[in-house]
Amino acid sequence: MNDISAWIAIPAAIFLVAGGLITLIGSIGLLRFEDFKSRIHAPTLGNTFGAMFTLLASILVSFHLADRVFFHEILIIVFLFLTSPVTAMLLMRSYILRLERIDK
Amino acid sequence: MEIIYSLAIGVLAGSGIWLLLRPRTFQVIMGLTLVSYAVNLFIFGMGRLSVGSPPIIEAGTVVDVSNYADPVPQALVLTAIVIGFATTALYLVVLLALRGLSNTDHVDGTEYNS
Amino acid sequence: MPLVLIVVLPFLGSILAAILPHNARNQESWLAGIIALVCAGLVLYTAPAVFSGEVLVQNISWLPSMGVNMTFRMDGFAWLFALLVTVMGALVVLYARYYMDPADPVPRFFSFFLAFMGSMLGVVLSGNVIQLVIFWELTSLSSFMLIAYWHHRQDARRGARMALTVTAAGGFCLLAGMLMIGHIVGSYELGEILASGNLIRNHPWYIPILVLVSLGALTKSAQFPFHFWLPNAMAAPTPVSAYLHSATMVKAGVFILARFWPVLASTDQWFWIIGGAGMSSLLIGAFAATFQQDMKGVLAYSTISHLGLITLLLGMNSDLALIAAIFHMINHAIFKASLFMATGIVDHETGTRDMGILSGLRKLMPITATLAIVAAAAMAGVPLLNGFLSKEMFFSETLFVNQTSYSSYLLPTLAVVASSFSVAYSLRFITQVFFGKPATDLPRKPHDPPRWMLFPSAVLVLLCILIGIFPEQIIGSILQLAATAILGNHIPTYSLAIWHGFNLPLIMSILALVGGIALLYVFKPLFQSYPGQTPVLYHFDGRKTFDAVMNGIDSISYVLLEWFSSKRLQPQVLWIIVITLVVGMLPLLGGDWLQVKQPSSFDPVFAILWIVGGACAIGAAYLAKYNRFRALALSGGAGLITCVTFAWLSAPDLALTQLVVETVTVVLILLGLRWLPRRVIEESQITPLQAFIRRFRDLAIAICGGLGLSALVYIMLTRDKPEGLSSFFLEKALPEGGGNNVVNVILVDFRGFDTYGEISVLGIVAITVYALLRRFRPPQESIHALENRHEIQTIDANGLTDKHSLPKGILLTPNVLGRLMLPVITLISLYFLLRGHNLPGGGFVGGLIFATGIILQYMLSGIHWVETRSRVRPLYWISIGMLIAGSSSMIAWWVDQPFLSAISWDIYLPVIGKLHLSSVIFFDIGVYALVVGATTLMLVALAHQSLRFYRKAPSAEAETNAGTSTQLNFSDRVN
Amino acid sequence: MKKLFFWFPMTAFLLLIWMLLANAISIGQFTLGSILSLALVFASQRLRPLHGHPKKTLTILKLIFMVIVDIAYSNWVVGILILKGKKAHRTPGFINIPLDLRDPHGLAMLSCIITYTPGTVWSGLTEDDYILRLHVLNLKEESEWLYTIKNRYEANLMEIFE
Amino acid sequence: MMGLLDHLPILPVAVPMMAGALMLLLKDSRRKSLTGLAFLSVFIQFSVAVTLLFMTAGSIPNDWNNHIGVYLLGNWVAPFGIVFVVDKLSAVMLVLTIVLGISALIYSTAFWDRVGIHFHPLFQFILMGLNGAFLTGDLFNLFVFFEIFLAASYGLLLHGSGSRRVSSGLHYITVNLIGAFLLLISISLIYGVTGTLNMADLGTKAGMLDAENRKLFETACAILGIAFLVKAAAWPLNFWLPNAYAAACAPVAALFAIMTKVGIYALVRMGSLLLPTGAPAAFGGEWMYAIGLGTLLFGTLGILAEKNTGRLVGYSIIMSSGTLLTALGMPGVTLTGPSLFYLISSVLTTGAFFMLVELIKRTESFGSNVLSVSFEAFGLDEDKTSDYSGDVVGVAIPAAQAFLGLSFFTCAILIACMPPFSGFVAKFALLSSALELTDNNLTGPSMSAWLLVIAMLASGLATVIALGRSGVRLFWNSDTLQTPKLSIREAVPVSVLLLSCIALSIFAGPVMDFLADTASSLDDPYQYINAVITQASNKPIPGGQ
Amino acid sequence: MNLILTWACYFALCCFSLATLCAFIRLLKGATPQDRVLGLDTMYINCMLLILVLGMLYRTSWYFDIALLISLLGFVSSSALSKFLLRGEVIEP
């Protein structure tokens, strides 16, 4: 494997570390928050910047691999963006209904 | 890697077998699911483990067999996954039908009162 | 030629008789009679050859490799019996013509009668011992049907079953014996076997063979201790009894003993087994016959007794005794058949056979009485009748043959005692029925029967007298012939004469006659006080014992079956798993297999992943009973980790497939979960200790299973890989398979047939699921549960109909997004389909993705909404998918290649350029279509259940109309 | 116009995806992608009775930029909240925002933006008067959120879709 | 160049699959087309199977090596691609399957195909699976075909639904799914050890393993053996069978008669191929013998204890499996030919018996009201329109009762192995060959031969007792006996099967010779192995493009 | 330079796997079924990122396809689960 240039490696590494950390923080939040309404916010971190940073790193690396500009990683963000509300909304709604039921 | 892999199969299979021996239909179907994971991993393991070397040949390269994961078990696992999926679906429907007809979710269709 | 005909004709007649009309009594009789006579004629036709000492043999090749051929062999002994069987058959047919009621379904009777005759002739003429066994068993079977002719009567059924059971058991023993004889001799041909007497007698297997053959013969001849079936078989119509129990069926046993006499006899074992059984039967039969109340009962026990006599004679190991035995076989057949006929006439005319009721028939039916009296006298051994002669020979044999100290006194004494009883019952039979004052309370008014019904009996009685007076002239040559056939040419001298001088046998005969009369007087009080009950012996009622044994077998086998099997699933699964564990372990017990050949690395990330995966699995296992939802989510987690593992370990195709399958499975099980009412924690029906033991046992097995699999994998993973198929595939995939992705090339090309099969499985399961769901009946609770759930929701899609294109409230945005996703998902599924050959993907993954897209629409918009708009016809997808896959595989035939060969074309299109089209792509498209169809069909059919039961829930009246129409639409489409 | 070119946005979107996936720009792929996209759009027409008509590409870009910035900010805020754990004084709560946006696609986009942004979750929309119920992780200033949603997102979305 | 004859081996699989797929396009209401298609398909299969049989016997000239046909699927050479191999054993099994299939199909047209939906496609698929399982020369492909016919059998077992079918179906499916897991584990383990999936190749490679790999290989084979034994219904892996078979509707149950024999076929095939390298314990030898003896005794017990006629036939299937396993477990090749004869006879008999039992049941209690059983799941209104509309249940032919009685009698004789039909021939041949193995001391093969003889005779007697009892009970006991409505379509297949048993007994000589040939070629697996492996060098490898 | 990237990848892998672990703990502990579904959903995302990083680690592009598929379909099972929680059945009439 030929050596990767520092222009790619260092930013990619930074992105990776950042992405990893953000995602981890998000998931820790999932653990630490005390009720569901707060918890639902936490993993969004991984969904957003966690994913974005990782994908940036991925773009860089695949750019190195084939010496071409690759943007197809952007699709993942698009799909995440389009699909994430579905689950979240349904969950939130069912949680609210659950609370109402318990209140009753 | 290997030790984790094999322990993982063991845990999956163990949980699955435990469930297969339970008397409730839902337990059995979960057991079948878990055992099928274990079996799939088992088949896959028969090609030995290799990391980062999928059996995808780049055009124009000279094929060095040792650089690629064994494709045969992968093909077998694919077939096994499909068949496992099909049978899970069938099993589910049969257990639903049984539940409806016999009013119990015991695998024998009756509750034993002794 | 005639030999085969003799056997075959009756069988042909049997078939012909079976298809004659129901009431064709005369035609049937003519048919049967002519066949019997023709057979008799054929037998007589062979007489010159047989009398000249020739052994006629006819051979038809049947199973030569096993040494079994249809050999028909006629020697003197066989000739005698064949004549007996056919002539007696003809007489009985004539008799039966008048005996049977016009209303009786005679085709069955004559059909089985002829079949029986054929079987009997087959036994007699068999020149191959296996063939002999075949016909032997056929006599058992056809006699079973004959005995049970009046099967509406319980005694007939029971008697038939008993006879069948006993004689079939004997038949199996005989088979075993014959097999052993054949094994020793090296041939199943009778001729060779008869020539190897010394070989067999000196073989270590001699005793088992003797026992087995004896078992066969004794059961058939109703000898002690197997005699009990014969009296019960008296439930048969009297012609049957007359035929079976005088000349044929029971004679088969002694026939075979005589037949194998040269091979098996003249040993001490033979003497004790055969002689002992004969002696016991002789005594017991005679004793029991004295006390019978039923006329046929008397005859039945007397048959036992007389056959015991024959058996005893055969067991005496003396040539003269053998001749006596043969002589008595003939005599017994003649007088016993005649007596049976007489009994039948009495029964027929009076409507009863009870000797307690019958009395003084001499006046009413004089001819019958005369005939019966003569025949009975023959049976009793009165001089000038045939019975006397053979009995005389028997007495002299008991005196002279066996000169060991104790038997020299015991044997003659017992012989005299038995003969006295014989006289007693014969006398009683006659006096009670025909003498005394005429009975008044008979069911019918008796008179002599038609002439032709008396004719057979008369013929036989005439024979009794003729033989009794002119033995040498009438029967001498035949007896000589038969004896020669068994003994060879060195026959001892004997004389068939009425008067041998005043010697010991004569004294014994007189003693027996006097003793018989005395016995009758002694026992007379018993006849009145205990009618029909044999003193002492009634404790050993054969029928009750038999029933008890049968019931015993029944209940013991039932208990054992319960013990050794289970109707429950868990024990079955347990057995399978435990056996697999044990058997799988056995080869490894020798050791030497646990050699780790490669050091294994350790990856913490992988470890963490599998901590999660393993915990998911264990959690799912723990929670599956009461928390199905949680268990499902957890197993989803385990599946996800499996997917990551596949990805990690260089199996992108697997990861993709696992992922999509995982998703679809979760949706599927959720769809099902809706019909499974919540489990309540019920009180355990078993004690906590039992539950604990069971769980502990299962846990132990589960752990063992898991560890075993782990160990196997670990061993394999650390081994070197064998030189296998993979290098071929890797090398050929691109140049010859035309694809970069080797896994896909294997799936659609190298091992395309696996895929072909696998999609068939999917399709089959889908239509099964669909068919099963059409008859689905949900648990009642789950319908109600649905209502409750719908109460909670306040807004939403209840009122969604065609006019609203979007639901309101919470499902609005998911719907918009979901519909936006549909073309995207479809595009991506096509992407995975088309590039599968080169990169991970393929028809299966593509199809599942598309199906998921469709399911998503159902999930977000509801069935009704989707199905009023789209026309997904999953069954057509399945069918067309299969057809595409199949025909793309068959294209190869056009270019003379085998099925499934990849055919490709390169097409040049103006703008796009070179297009590489391959049959493989079509195959993959077929897979895609089928997977889409199958998955959609299963999920949608399941989802449709709630539509079906929606309208049944009273709360959802608004849905009724819409629901019905949709249901119809759907079934139309899916059909 | 609208009716005639209902297929255009979706086809373009699909073609874009196809070209991105194909990873190579060639006439063949373009043709294949176009054919597939068009076919799919027409095939799925009945299942997609509503069509979005995004206009004003510039506004779209502006909106995307704004969203990214907001996401970045929210990431920061939520991250800090998580790290602080119990020490943080969070005041989670619901706020209700009456919406003027009626276009379903616009609403869907709005829900995507809101939910995708850490710290806010769309938790309901009333049936008749379009009042958005929003759950916010750290509800300090209701008006601030109101402003963000109404002005930053809704206004732009209305511009794009209506 | 390949002629038509060269393509024959694939047809028994391709034809039913295409027919089944086509049938899915037709609605169930188009019955004429459906049945026409079904009969066309089975007719083709029958002709193909018979032709193949004659080709393997050498009666039809061919250039096959040792008269063993090899078909390279996808034109990939032997150990790499999947091969179909037609040898005598496969051909015999094919013919047997299709004869049974035709009978069951005729029977089903009486009305069973309308009890539920999609009967005909499922029927074709089960034939496809069975044929494939007999033809394939590849271990994993064997698994796939097992799954195909099992999947179809699930569908057919549940055909008509109803509580009894569903609950016994659940057991059946569970057990077979576990069996599938075992198969997968063992097949992949075999691949992991030897690196091949081709059965012929395996036959050669198994001998080249070093000691420790050999042990793993034996473990794999042991598990494989268990999986096959589950299919073959060996005790104690067969508790599911009586209920499942009794619950299935009659033509399906008849077809199921051959399914246990697939397990036995697989055992024989694997045992034969692994023979030269020392077959592992599971295939042949003492293990199989012991299990077989246990199964035989268990089946006998079941026959004695069982009162329900349907389950009785199930136990008779178990008994025949037990007999076969015991006989095949005996050392040497002498018993193989007779065992195959027994297999053919017992499949035909039990098939006929299952159909017959259904007809006999009608004479009991409610007479021709069979539908009450089959349609017990008819709680749901919308199904009423679809399926059964009383058009063809048939007229009561006057001799119906006599026909039933005679057929029952024949079946009973056949099952009890009493003379004069093929059952007896089989039993005699088995016993006679078993005695060949005996010598004068009671140890080793001699001991097992004696046990076999005793067990077979005892089981025969038990069958006589049990079937005598149930025959008496069924035909002679009840006052309420009704003349059953018997459709000619139901009578014909029963007679066909029984007549083929009779034909089998008449032509026992040539059949036995052929089977002895089969047995000897099984004893010399190099014929098979060479045919498969040399095929690779004979045919030019085409470009594949 | 390879080394830096490799270590970064390992670091990210560790982060993602730990994140998966956290999500799993939420799935296991739950409190409410909604929490469990959320945990599962998060596991999906984390695993997707993990697979992406694996792609970088081994310098191959095909990992991307798996990630793409997870991003596209990962939500289906969790939204099915949440639909079940919300409505009591996944596919309504």
Side-chain angles (χ1 to χ4, degrees), chain C residues 712-763:
Chain C
L712 270 184
V713 181
Y714 189 67
I715 296 307
M716 292 305 297
L717 288 179
T718 50
R719 283 279 158 83
D720 292 329
K721 227 169 76 174
E723 265 305 303
L725 312 172
S726 49
S727 55
F728 176 87
F729 291 146
L730 288 168
E731 281 156 12
K732 306 278 175 159
L734 194 51
E736 290 181 17
N740 303 79
N741 183 1
V742 185
V743 176
N744 189 272
V745 177
I746 292 178
L747 278 180
V748 297
D749 199 347
F750 292 120
R751 298 181 62 86
F753 212 57
D754 284 345
T755 316
Y756 191 88
E758 152 207 329
I759 58 169
S760 311
V761 172
L762 196 59

Side-chain angles (χ1 to χ4, degrees), chain C residues 654-670:
Chain C
L654 293 189
L656 288 173
T657 316
Q658 174 71 41
L659 180 74
V660 200
V661 165
E662 186 55 44
T663 307
V664 179
T665 311
V666 167
V667 178
L668 185 80
I669 296 183
L670 272 178

Side-chain angles (χ1 to χ4, degrees), chain E residues 358-372 480-485:
Chain E
E358 169 57 39
L359 298 178
I360 291 170
K361 273 187 203 157
R362 290 183 205 170
T363 62
E364 289 173 328
S365 62
F366 297 106
S368 60
N369 195 7
V370 269
L371 301 180
S372 63
T480 57
L481 203 69
Q482 308 201 0
T483 305
K485 290 216 183 270

Side-chain angles (χ1 to χ4, degrees), chain C residues 156-173:
Chain C
R157 293 196 297 268
R158 184 194 286 134
R161 262 194 72 199
M162 204 184 282
L164 178 70
T165 309
V166 175
T167 51
F172 286 134
C173 295

Side-chain angles (χ1 to χ4, degrees), chain D residues 63-92:
Chain D
L63 185 64
I64 290 174
F65 180 73
M66 268 161 45
V67 170
I68 290 178
V69 169
D70 283 2
I71 288 175
Y73 175 70
S74 314
N75 262 296
W76 176 254
V77 173
V78 175
I80 295 295
L81 277 177
I82 291 171
L83 289 176
K84 278 188 183 166
K86 295 229 167 84
K87 281 174 276 177
H89 298 285
R90 294 186 293 110
T91 48

Side-chain angles (χ1 to χ4, degrees), chain A residues 1 4 23 30-31 39 94, chain F residues 1 26 34-35 46 59:
Chain A
M1 198 178 290
I4 199 164
T23 311
L30 190 63
L31 271 185
R39 281 184 209 130
S94 72
Chain F
M1 281 302 125
R26 185 43 71 201
Q34 284 78 11
D35 282 303
N46 293 341
R59 309 285 148 80

Side-chain angles (χ1 to χ4, degrees), chain C residues 344-382:
Chain C
I345 292 169
V346 169
D347 187 12
H348 198 250
E349 294 299 323
T350 65
T352 181
R353 302 193 308 250
D354 189 340
M355 301 208 302
I357 300 172
L358 291 167
S359 178
L361 290 180
R362 182 171 51 99
K363 300 268 167 49
L364 296 168
M365 28 205 312
I367 309 174
T368 316
T370 316
L371 294 174
I373 289 164
V374 177
M379 177 161 79
V382 173

